Amino acid sequence: MSAVPASAQDACVPLSYLRGVDSGVAPHAVSRLRTQRLARSTRPFLSRGGPRGERCEGCRLRPSHCLCALRPMLPTRAGFCLLMHDAEPLKPSNTGWLIADVVEQTQAFGWARTEADVGLLALLDDPQWQPYVVFPGEFVEPPQRVVHALPAPRAGVEPNQGRRPLFILLDATWPEARKMFRKSPYLDRFPVLSLHPDQVSQYRLRRSQREDHFCTSEVAALCLELTGDGGDRRAGRALESYLALFTEHYLRAKNQQPVQTDSDARRGLQDAISSVCPPAC
């Protein structure tokens, strides 16, 4: 990264030297966290690869490939708490951003080794939520903390009653996420939800050494499938389709190709949003 010119050091640092274009959409939890992160920056974040030129501040894509008009914000019973490593809110390819685009009940906090955000601690203590740390069980001690499914509703209790699931996602590279898990003692009191999905990750914007490593929005979609709530399942399928559409727009912008208005990814998102998904589907 190169230094900011002296004349710009007192100004708000942009996402990069690329110019941002106002999207007209309301900022969500991750975009607000990015603004906070930029406010304390002394140098701009220079992303590697990705589209060049102007970027929409709402979806981080070129204005010609903007997704903001297709943002499928949906209500859910479940919520997400994104605990984001320092640079993640700045990365144009970050998929935690997509979760906040789709799921209304999404909050985002920056992670620090020495202290926890007071807003994060208040959220974790909110009695309406039952937090679950989403992390591979093979790295958890003691193993008794690990669960592989959410508890079934008790007899005589409606599925929409009781505490709502709050999925805590560590949004970072895999080495960073392991460090965050070890060095966040305020998470030790919560169960760890370990996912064992059958499918292979379809994420194509950043490489992982293992095919069973999922990007953050894929993990979120899998979590929503576990709650037993029809609205959550619908949002999970919309999120999965939205990731496919974002990936398509991102790569076409990067390769200087026009948007496909009738692509399979766009039709898939429209089908996911319009579908009605009962709890047993």
Side-chain angles (χ1 to χ4, degrees):
M1 293 188 291
S2 56
V4 177
S7 60
Q9 289 181 357
D10 294 330
C12 180
V13 178
L15 177 64
S16 70
Y17 284 128
L18 309 179
R19 289 178 296 174
V21 177
D22 185 10
S23 66
V25 299
H28 52 50
V30 180
S31 60
R32 291 193 296 269
L33 182 60
R34 186 189 74 180
T35 299
Q36 295 170 12
R37 173 64 179 80
L38 290 172
R40 67 174 192 273
S41 297
T42 58
R43 294 181 294 178
F45 178 81
L46 301 180
S47 61
R48 289 177 288 183
R52 298 300 178 186
E54 292 182 332
R55 289 198 187 191
C56 170
E57 291 293 329
C59 64
R60 305 155 296 155
L61 296 171
R62 283 182 180 172
S64 58
H65 291 67
C66 177
L67 274 180
C68 291
L70 301 175
R71 180 188 290 189
M73 182 72 77
L74 297 172
T76 58
R77 183 167 183 269
F80 287 96
C81 171
L82 301 179
L83 196 52
M84 307 185 77
H85 203 268
D86 187 57
E88 285 300 326
L90 305 179
K91 295 178 180 178
S93 59
N94 173 270
T95 66
W97 188 289
L98 304 183
I99 301 171
D101 276 349
V102 176
V103 180
E104 288 183 358
Q105 296 290 340
T106 300
Q107 298 198 46
F109 303 92
W111 181 83
R113 184 181 60 81
T114 56
E115 58 183 352
D117 189 293
V118 294
L120 168 64
L121 298 179
L123 175 65
L124 299 179
D125 287 334
D126 189 330
Q128 72 169 307
W129 298 111
Q130 171 56 62
Y132 294 89
V133 183
V134 183
F135 203 74
E138 61 195 283
F139 300 101
V140 180
E141 291 291 343
Q144 290 78 11
R145 287 182 66 196
V146 178
V147 299
H148 298 288
L150 273 59
R154 299 192 307 271
V157 178
E158 293 293 326
N160 62 348
Q161 295 179 346
R163 300 178 72 186
R164 303 161 63 187
L166 178 71
F167 300 110
I168 303 170
L169 306 184
L170 307 182
D171 194 3
T173 66
W174 175 236
E176 292 166 348
R178 291 185 66 178
K179 175 182 177 181
M180 292 165 66
F181 184 79
R182 295 194 311 268
K183 297 183 178 296
S184 302
Y186 47 86
L187 300 179
D188 291 347
R189 58 191 169 114
F190 301 121
V192 175
L193 177 63
S194 180
L195 302 173
H196 291 289
D198 296 328
Q199 69 264 47
V200 174
S201 174
Q202 299 300 308
Y203 185 55
R204 294 183 289 150
L205 302 186
R206 280 189 256 166
R207 294 186 181 276
S208 174
Q209 295 179 348
R210 290 175 50 176
E211 288 186 332
D212 58 343
H213 280 182
F214 284 71
C215 73
T216 307
S217 68
E218 287 178 310
V219 171
L222 292 168
C223 290
L224 290 167
E225 285 287 331
L226 295 177
T227 69
D229 180 87
D232 289 355
R233 288 172 178 260
R234 176 182 174 226
R237 296 181 183 185
L239 179 56
E240 192 174 17
S241 299
Y242 191 55
L243 171 63
L245 184 59
F246 174 78
T247 301
E248 177 183 279
H249 278 230
Y250 186 100
L251 293 176
R252 292 189 73 84
K254 178 179 178 179
N255 295 320
Q256 300 183 357
Q257 298 172 336
V259 170
Q260 289 183 307
T261 58
D262 60 345
S263 68
D264 290 342
R266 183 170 295 210
R267 287 192 295 270
L269 178 61
Q270 293 170 344
D271 291 345
I273 295 172
S274 61
S275 66
V276 176
C277 191
C281 74

mmCIF file of all heavy atoms in Angstrom, residues 236-271:
data_model
loop_
_atom_site.group_PDB
_atom_site.id
_atom_site.type_symbol
_atom_site.label_atom_id
_atom_site.label_comp_id
_atom_site.label_asym_id
_atom_site.label_seq_id
_atom_site.Cartn_x
_atom_site.Cartn_y
_atom_site.Cartn_z
ATOM 1 N N GLY A 236 -32.120 -17.979 3.019
ATOM 2 C CA GLY A 236 -30.907 -18.734 2.750
ATOM 3 C C GLY A 236 -30.748 -19.047 1.272
ATOM 4 O O GLY A 236 -29.651 -18.950 0.718
ATOM 5 N N ARG A 237 -31.843 -19.390 0.625
ATOM 6 C CA ARG A 237 -31.775 -19.692 -0.799
ATOM 7 C C ARG A 237 -31.557 -18.415 -1.619
ATOM 8 O O ARG A 237 -30.851 -18.427 -2.633
ATOM 9 C CB ARG A 237 -33.044 -20.421 -1.218
ATOM 10 C CG ARG A 237 -33.145 -21.774 -0.524
ATOM 11 C CD ARG A 237 -34.350 -22.571 -0.880
ATOM 12 N NE ARG A 237 -34.372 -23.806 -0.097
ATOM 13 C CZ ARG A 237 -35.262 -24.776 -0.247
ATOM 14 N NH1 ARG A 237 -36.211 -24.667 -1.160
ATOM 15 N NH2 ARG A 237 -35.206 -25.859 0.502
ATOM 16 N N ALA A 238 -32.169 -17.327 -1.164
ATOM 17 C CA ALA A 238 -31.923 -16.044 -1.838
ATOM 18 C C ALA A 238 -30.465 -15.631 -1.690
ATOM 19 O O ALA A 238 -29.845 -15.123 -2.638
ATOM 20 C CB ALA A 238 -32.854 -14.977 -1.282
ATOM 21 N N LEU A 239 -29.882 -15.839 -0.513
ATOM 22 C CA LEU A 239 -28.478 -15.486 -0.288
ATOM 23 C C LEU A 239 -27.558 -16.318 -1.166
ATOM 24 O O LEU A 239 -26.583 -15.803 -1.741
ATOM 25 C CB LEU A 239 -28.134 -15.683 1.189
ATOM 26 C CG LEU A 239 -26.699 -15.384 1.619
ATOM 27 C CD1 LEU A 239 -26.289 -13.970 1.248
ATOM 28 C CD2 LEU A 239 -26.540 -15.614 3.127
ATOM 29 N N GLU A 240 -27.854 -17.595 -1.291
ATOM 30 C CA GLU A 240 -27.058 -18.461 -2.153
ATOM 31 C C GLU A 240 -27.109 -17.973 -3.607
ATOM 32 O O GLU A 240 -26.084 -17.912 -4.297
ATOM 33 C CB GLU A 240 -27.600 -19.888 -2.043
ATOM 34 C CG GLU A 240 -26.727 -20.946 -2.647
ATOM 35 C CD GLU A 240 -27.263 -22.336 -2.357
ATOM 36 O OE1 GLU A 240 -28.443 -22.474 -1.976
ATOM 37 O OE2 GLU A 240 -26.499 -23.305 -2.521
ATOM 38 N N SER A 241 -28.314 -17.596 -4.060
ATOM 39 C CA SER A 241 -28.472 -17.113 -5.436
ATOM 40 C C SER A 241 -27.838 -15.739 -5.618
ATOM 41 O O SER A 241 -27.274 -15.436 -6.683
ATOM 42 C CB SER A 241 -29.959 -17.058 -5.798
ATOM 43 O OG SER A 241 -30.559 -18.334 -5.719
ATOM 44 N N TYR A 242 -27.913 -14.905 -4.582
ATOM 45 C CA TYR A 242 -27.338 -13.566 -4.647
ATOM 46 C C TYR A 242 -25.819 -13.628 -4.751
ATOM 47 O O TYR A 242 -25.189 -12.841 -5.470
ATOM 48 C CB TYR A 242 -27.769 -12.783 -3.412
ATOM 49 C CG TYR A 242 -27.493 -11.306 -3.442
ATOM 50 C CD1 TYR A 242 -27.944 -10.490 -4.470
ATOM 51 C CD2 TYR A 242 -26.786 -10.704 -2.391
ATOM 52 C CE1 TYR A 242 -27.700 -9.131 -4.470
ATOM 53 C CE2 TYR A 242 -26.540 -9.343 -2.384
ATOM 54 C CZ TYR A 242 -26.999 -8.563 -3.428
ATOM 55 O OH TYR A 242 -26.757 -7.207 -3.416
ATOM 56 N N LEU A 243 -25.204 -14.586 -4.048
ATOM 57 C CA LEU A 243 -23.758 -14.788 -4.174
ATOM 58 C C LEU A 243 -23.395 -15.151 -5.606
ATOM 59 O O LEU A 243 -22.405 -14.634 -6.162
ATOM 60 C CB LEU A 243 -23.289 -15.876 -3.213
ATOM 61 C CG LEU A 243 -21.836 -16.343 -3.394
ATOM 62 C CD1 LEU A 243 -20.845 -15.214 -3.130
ATOM 63 C CD2 LEU A 243 -21.540 -17.553 -2.497
ATOM 64 N N ALA A 244 -24.180 -16.033 -6.222
ATOM 65 C CA ALA A 244 -23.898 -16.419 -7.604
ATOM 66 C C ALA A 244 -24.001 -15.224 -8.539
ATOM 67 O O ALA A 244 -23.170 -15.055 -9.453
ATOM 68 C CB ALA A 244 -24.867 -17.520 -8.034
ATOM 69 N N LEU A 245 -25.003 -14.364 -8.303
ATOM 70 C CA LEU A 245 -25.166 -13.195 -9.166
ATOM 71 C C LEU A 245 -24.056 -12.174 -8.927
ATOM 72 O O LEU A 245 -23.521 -11.583 -9.876
ATOM 73 C CB LEU A 245 -26.536 -12.565 -8.927
ATOM 74 C CG LEU A 245 -26.905 -11.386 -9.830
ATOM 75 C CD1 LEU A 245 -26.876 -11.790 -11.304
ATOM 76 C CD2 LEU A 245 -28.274 -10.829 -9.456
ATOM 77 N N PHE A 246 -23.690 -11.944 -7.655
ATOM 78 C CA PHE A 246 -22.589 -11.033 -7.344
ATOM 79 C C PHE A 246 -21.294 -11.508 -7.996
ATOM 80 O O PHE A 246 -20.545 -10.712 -8.579
ATOM 81 C CB PHE A 246 -22.404 -10.921 -5.830
ATOM 82 C CG PHE A 246 -21.207 -10.115 -5.413
ATOM 83 C CD1 PHE A 246 -21.228 -8.739 -5.450
ATOM 84 C CD2 PHE A 246 -20.039 -10.753 -5.001
ATOM 85 C CE1 PHE A 246 -20.109 -7.990 -5.083
ATOM 86 C CE2 PHE A 246 -18.921 -10.021 -4.625
ATOM 87 C CZ PHE A 246 -18.959 -8.635 -4.669
ATOM 88 N N THR A 247 -21.023 -12.818 -7.901
ATOM 89 C CA THR A 247 -19.814 -13.373 -8.499
ATOM 90 C C THR A 247 -19.811 -13.154 -10.005
ATOM 91 O O THR A 247 -18.790 -12.767 -10.600
ATOM 92 C CB THR A 247 -19.713 -14.874 -8.186
ATOM 93 O OG1 THR A 247 -19.686 -15.063 -6.765
ATOM 94 C CG2 THR A 247 -18.455 -15.475 -8.792
ATOM 95 N N GLU A 248 -20.967 -13.374 -10.632
ATOM 96 C CA GLU A 248 -21.064 -13.160 -12.079
ATOM 97 C C GLU A 248 -20.784 -11.705 -12.448
ATOM 98 O O GLU A 248 -19.996 -11.423 -13.353
ATOM 99 C CB GLU A 248 -22.460 -13.564 -12.560
ATOM 100 C CG GLU A 248 -22.710 -13.323 -14.037
ATOM 101 C CD GLU A 248 -24.127 -13.680 -14.435
ATOM 102 O OE1 GLU A 248 -24.390 -14.870 -14.638
ATOM 103 O OE2 GLU A 248 -24.971 -12.757 -14.521
ATOM 104 N N HIS A 249 -21.417 -10.758 -11.751
ATOM 105 C CA HIS A 249 -21.209 -9.343 -12.048
ATOM 106 C C HIS A 249 -19.764 -8.930 -11.773
ATOM 107 O O HIS A 249 -19.170 -8.164 -12.547
ATOM 108 C CB HIS A 249 -22.168 -8.495 -11.217
ATOM 109 C CG HIS A 249 -23.538 -8.387 -11.807
ATOM 110 N ND1 HIS A 249 -24.190 -7.189 -11.983
ATOM 111 C CD2 HIS A 249 -24.386 -9.331 -12.287
ATOM 112 C CE1 HIS A 249 -25.371 -7.391 -12.529
ATOM 113 N NE2 HIS A 249 -25.518 -8.693 -12.722
ATOM 114 N N TYR A 250 -19.198 -9.410 -10.683
ATOM 115 C CA TYR A 250 -17.822 -9.066 -10.306
ATOM 116 C C TYR A 250 -16.841 -9.512 -11.391
ATOM 117 O O TYR A 250 -15.975 -8.740 -11.827
ATOM 118 C CB TYR A 250 -17.498 -9.721 -8.967
ATOM 119 C CG TYR A 250 -16.157 -9.353 -8.373
ATOM 120 C CD1 TYR A 250 -16.068 -8.402 -7.361
ATOM 121 C CD2 TYR A 250 -14.980 -9.971 -8.794
ATOM 122 C CE1 TYR A 250 -14.843 -8.069 -6.796
ATOM 123 C CE2 TYR A 250 -13.756 -9.646 -8.242
ATOM 124 C CZ TYR A 250 -13.688 -8.700 -7.238
ATOM 125 O OH TYR A 250 -12.473 -8.377 -6.678
ATOM 126 N N LEU A 251 -16.981 -10.771 -11.821
ATOM 127 C CA LEU A 251 -16.043 -11.303 -12.808
ATOM 128 C C LEU A 251 -16.254 -10.683 -14.183
ATOM 129 O O LEU A 251 -15.282 -10.448 -14.918
ATOM 130 C CB LEU A 251 -16.180 -12.829 -12.872
ATOM 131 C CG LEU A 251 -15.733 -13.580 -11.608
ATOM 132 C CD1 LEU A 251 -15.995 -15.064 -11.754
ATOM 133 C CD2 LEU A 251 -14.265 -13.315 -11.301
ATOM 134 N N ARG A 252 -17.492 -10.375 -14.548
ATOM 135 C CA ARG A 252 -17.723 -9.744 -15.845
ATOM 136 C C ARG A 252 -17.180 -8.314 -15.845
ATOM 137 O O ARG A 252 -16.649 -7.844 -16.861
ATOM 138 C CB ARG A 252 -19.206 -9.781 -16.196
ATOM 139 C CG ARG A 252 -19.717 -11.190 -16.470
ATOM 140 C CD ARG A 252 -21.139 -11.193 -17.019
ATOM 141 N NE ARG A 252 -21.146 -10.740 -18.405
ATOM 142 C CZ ARG A 252 -20.909 -11.527 -19.448
ATOM 143 N NH1 ARG A 252 -20.628 -12.810 -19.275
ATOM 144 N NH2 ARG A 252 -20.952 -11.057 -20.678
ATOM 145 N N ALA A 253 -17.304 -7.619 -14.719
ATOM 146 C CA ALA A 253 -16.713 -6.285 -14.624
ATOM 147 C C ALA A 253 -15.192 -6.364 -14.696
ATOM 148 O O ALA A 253 -14.542 -5.566 -15.385
ATOM 149 C CB ALA A 253 -17.156 -5.614 -13.331
ATOM 150 N N LYS A 254 -14.621 -7.320 -13.985
ATOM 151 C CA LYS A 254 -13.162 -7.489 -13.982
ATOM 152 C C LYS A 254 -12.647 -7.785 -15.381
ATOM 153 O O LYS A 254 -11.571 -7.294 -15.778
ATOM 154 C CB LYS A 254 -12.787 -8.622 -13.028
ATOM 155 C CG LYS A 254 -11.300 -8.920 -12.968
ATOM 156 C CD LYS A 254 -11.022 -10.043 -11.980
ATOM 157 C CE LYS A 254 -9.539 -10.373 -11.946
ATOM 158 N NZ LYS A 254 -9.244 -11.458 -10.965
ATOM 159 N N ASN A 255 -13.397 -8.563 -16.149
ATOM 160 C CA ASN A 255 -12.970 -8.957 -17.500
ATOM 161 C C ASN A 255 -13.528 -8.044 -18.584
ATOM 162 O O ASN A 255 -13.447 -8.376 -19.769
ATOM 163 C CB ASN A 255 -13.403 -10.401 -17.762
ATOM 164 C CG ASN A 255 -12.709 -11.388 -16.843
ATOM 165 O OD1 ASN A 255 -11.525 -11.252 -16.565
ATOM 166 N ND2 ASN A 255 -13.448 -12.369 -16.347
ATOM 167 N N GLN A 256 -14.115 -6.901 -18.154
ATOM 168 C CA GLN A 256 -14.627 -5.891 -19.082
ATOM 169 C C GLN A 256 -15.674 -6.478 -20.036
ATOM 170 O O GLN A 256 -15.677 -6.214 -21.235
ATOM 171 C CB GLN A 256 -13.478 -5.236 -19.861
ATOM 172 C CG GLN A 256 -12.473 -4.545 -18.960
ATOM 173 C CD GLN A 256 -11.369 -3.839 -19.732
ATOM 174 O OE1 GLN A 256 -11.305 -3.897 -20.951
ATOM 175 N NE2 GLN A 256 -10.511 -3.141 -19.011
ATOM 176 N N GLN A 257 -16.577 -7.260 -19.451
ATOM 177 C CA GLN A 257 -17.684 -7.840 -20.208
ATOM 178 C C GLN A 257 -18.990 -7.209 -19.735
ATOM 179 O O GLN A 257 -19.143 -6.900 -18.553
ATOM 180 C CB GLN A 257 -17.741 -9.356 -20.007
ATOM 181 C CG GLN A 257 -16.510 -10.084 -20.506
ATOM 182 C CD GLN A 257 -16.512 -11.552 -20.119
ATOM 183 O OE1 GLN A 257 -17.156 -11.945 -19.153
ATOM 184 N NE2 GLN A 257 -15.774 -12.357 -20.865
ATOM 185 N N PRO A 258 -19.967 -7.024 -20.618
ATOM 186 C CA PRO A 258 -21.222 -6.396 -20.206
ATOM 187 C C PRO A 258 -22.059 -7.314 -19.318
ATOM 188 O O PRO A 258 -21.870 -8.535 -19.297
ATOM 189 C CB PRO A 258 -21.936 -6.138 -21.546
ATOM 190 C CG PRO A 258 -21.374 -7.174 -22.472
ATOM 191 C CD PRO A 258 -19.933 -7.346 -22.058
ATOM 192 N N VAL A 259 -23.006 -6.711 -18.601
ATOM 193 C CA VAL A 259 -23.923 -7.469 -17.753
ATOM 194 C C VAL A 259 -24.856 -8.309 -18.614
ATOM 195 O O VAL A 259 -25.304 -7.879 -19.678
ATOM 196 C CB VAL A 259 -24.744 -6.506 -16.870
ATOM 197 C CG1 VAL A 259 -25.872 -7.242 -16.159
ATOM 198 C CG2 VAL A 259 -23.836 -5.823 -15.856
ATOM 199 N N GLN A 260 -25.161 -9.509 -18.150
ATOM 200 C CA GLN A 260 -26.157 -10.356 -18.785
ATOM 201 C C GLN A 260 -27.479 -10.194 -18.031
ATOM 202 O O GLN A 260 -27.598 -10.629 -16.895
ATOM 203 C CB GLN A 260 -25.733 -11.819 -18.767
ATOM 204 C CG GLN A 260 -24.579 -12.158 -19.686
ATOM 205 C CD GLN A 260 -24.263 -13.638 -19.677
ATOM 206 O OE1 GLN A 260 -24.052 -14.234 -18.627
ATOM 207 N NE2 GLN A 260 -24.228 -14.242 -20.852
ATOM 208 N N THR A 261 -28.463 -9.583 -18.660
ATOM 209 C CA THR A 261 -29.726 -9.315 -17.974
ATOM 210 C C THR A 261 -30.632 -10.528 -17.900
ATOM 211 O O THR A 261 -31.627 -10.508 -17.159
ATOM 212 C CB THR A 261 -30.479 -8.177 -18.681
ATOM 213 O OG1 THR A 261 -30.704 -8.549 -20.059
ATOM 214 C CG2 THR A 261 -29.664 -6.885 -18.637
ATOM 215 N N ASP A 262 -30.310 -11.592 -18.651
ATOM 216 C CA ASP A 262 -31.146 -12.792 -18.630
ATOM 217 C C ASP A 262 -30.343 -14.028 -18.236
ATOM 218 O O ASP A 262 -30.638 -15.142 -18.675
ATOM 219 C CB ASP A 262 -31.792 -13.014 -20.003
ATOM 220 C CG ASP A 262 -30.742 -13.203 -21.110
ATOM 221 O OD1 ASP A 262 -29.558 -12.876 -20.864
ATOM 222 O OD2 ASP A 262 -31.117 -13.677 -22.197
ATOM 223 N N SER A 263 -29.354 -13.844 -17.378
ATOM 224 C CA SER A 263 -28.477 -14.951 -17.007
ATOM 225 C C SER A 263 -29.184 -15.925 -16.071
ATOM 226 O O SER A 263 -30.185 -15.601 -15.430
ATOM 227 C CB SER A 263 -27.207 -14.427 -16.336
ATOM 228 O OG SER A 263 -27.514 -13.863 -15.071
ATOM 229 N N ASP A 264 -28.634 -17.129 -15.961
ATOM 230 C CA ASP A 264 -29.168 -18.126 -15.031
ATOM 231 C C ASP A 264 -29.093 -17.622 -13.588
ATOM 232 O O ASP A 264 -29.991 -17.891 -12.789
ATOM 233 C CB ASP A 264 -28.379 -19.435 -15.158
ATOM 234 C CG ASP A 264 -28.631 -20.151 -16.475
ATOM 235 O OD1 ASP A 264 -29.648 -19.845 -17.134
ATOM 236 O OD2 ASP A 264 -27.810 -21.014 -16.848
ATOM 237 N N ALA A 265 -28.032 -16.899 -13.264
ATOM 238 C CA ALA A 265 -27.877 -16.392 -11.899
ATOM 239 C C ALA A 265 -28.975 -15.394 -11.559
ATOM 240 O O ALA A 265 -29.533 -15.414 -10.461
ATOM 241 C CB ALA A 265 -26.502 -15.748 -11.731
ATOM 242 N N ARG A 266 -29.320 -14.522 -12.491
ATOM 243 C CA ARG A 266 -30.372 -13.543 -12.225
ATOM 244 C C ARG A 266 -31.734 -14.226 -12.096
ATOM 245 O O ARG A 266 -32.519 -13.891 -11.210
ATOM 246 C CB ARG A 266 -30.402 -12.478 -13.321
ATOM 247 C CG ARG A 266 -31.424 -11.385 -13.060
ATOM 248 C CD ARG A 266 -31.283 -10.214 -14.010
ATOM 249 N NE ARG A 266 -30.033 -9.518 -13.819
ATOM 250 C CZ ARG A 266 -29.874 -8.205 -14.046
ATOM 251 N NH1 ARG A 266 -30.890 -7.476 -14.450
ATOM 252 N NH2 ARG A 266 -28.700 -7.633 -13.872
ATOM 253 N N ARG A 267 -32.011 -15.183 -12.970
ATOM 254 C CA ARG A 267 -33.273 -15.909 -12.878
ATOM 255 C C ARG A 267 -33.348 -16.710 -11.581
ATOM 256 O O ARG A 267 -34.411 -16.812 -10.955
ATOM 257 C CB ARG A 267 -33.438 -16.831 -14.082
ATOM 258 C CG ARG A 267 -33.766 -16.098 -15.383
ATOM 259 C CD ARG A 267 -34.212 -17.070 -16.456
ATOM 260 N NE ARG A 267 -33.131 -17.982 -16.829
ATOM 261 C CZ ARG A 267 -32.263 -17.729 -17.801
ATOM 262 N NH1 ARG A 267 -32.333 -16.595 -18.481
ATOM 263 N NH2 ARG A 267 -31.311 -18.605 -18.090
ATOM 264 N N GLY A 268 -32.203 -17.273 -11.158
ATOM 265 C CA GLY A 268 -32.180 -18.018 -9.908
ATOM 266 C C GLY A 268 -32.515 -17.147 -8.712
ATOM 267 O O GLY A 268 -33.237 -17.574 -7.806
ATOM 268 N N LEU A 269 -32.009 -15.920 -8.695
ATOM 269 C CA LEU A 269 -32.319 -15.007 -7.598
ATOM 270 C C LEU A 269 -33.802 -14.638 -7.608
ATOM 271 O O LEU A 269 -34.457 -14.619 -6.559
ATOM 272 C CB LEU A 269 -31.458 -13.749 -7.703
ATOM 273 C CG LEU A 269 -31.724 -12.678 -6.643
ATOM 274 C CD1 LEU A 269 -31.464 -13.217 -5.243
ATOM 275 C CD2 LEU A 269 -30.872 -11.434 -6.899
ATOM 276 N N GLN A 270 -34.340 -14.339 -8.769
ATOM 277 C CA GLN A 270 -35.758 -13.996 -8.863
ATOM 278 C C GLN A 270 -36.626 -15.145 -8.384
ATOM 279 O O GLN A 270 -37.620 -14.937 -7.673
ATOM 280 C CB GLN A 270 -36.096 -13.608 -10.300
ATOM 281 C CG GLN A 270 -35.441 -12.305 -10.760
ATOM 282 C CD GLN A 270 -35.579 -12.064 -12.253
ATOM 283 O OE1 GLN A 270 -35.890 -12.963 -13.023
ATOM 284 N NE2 GLN A 270 -35.338 -10.822 -12.672
ATOM 285 N N ASP A 271 -36.285 -16.372 -8.742
ATOM 286 C CA ASP A 271 -37.053 -17.545 -8.309
ATOM 287 C C ASP A 271 -36.961 -17.721 -6.797
ATOM 288 O O ASP A 271 -37.958 -18.052 -6.134
ATOM 289 C CB ASP A 271 -36.536 -18.808 -9.009
ATOM 290 C CG ASP A 271 -36.850 -18.827 -10.497
ATOM 291 O OD1 ASP A 271 -37.707 -18.020 -10.931
ATOM 292 O OD2 ASP A 271 -36.228 -19.625 -11.226
#
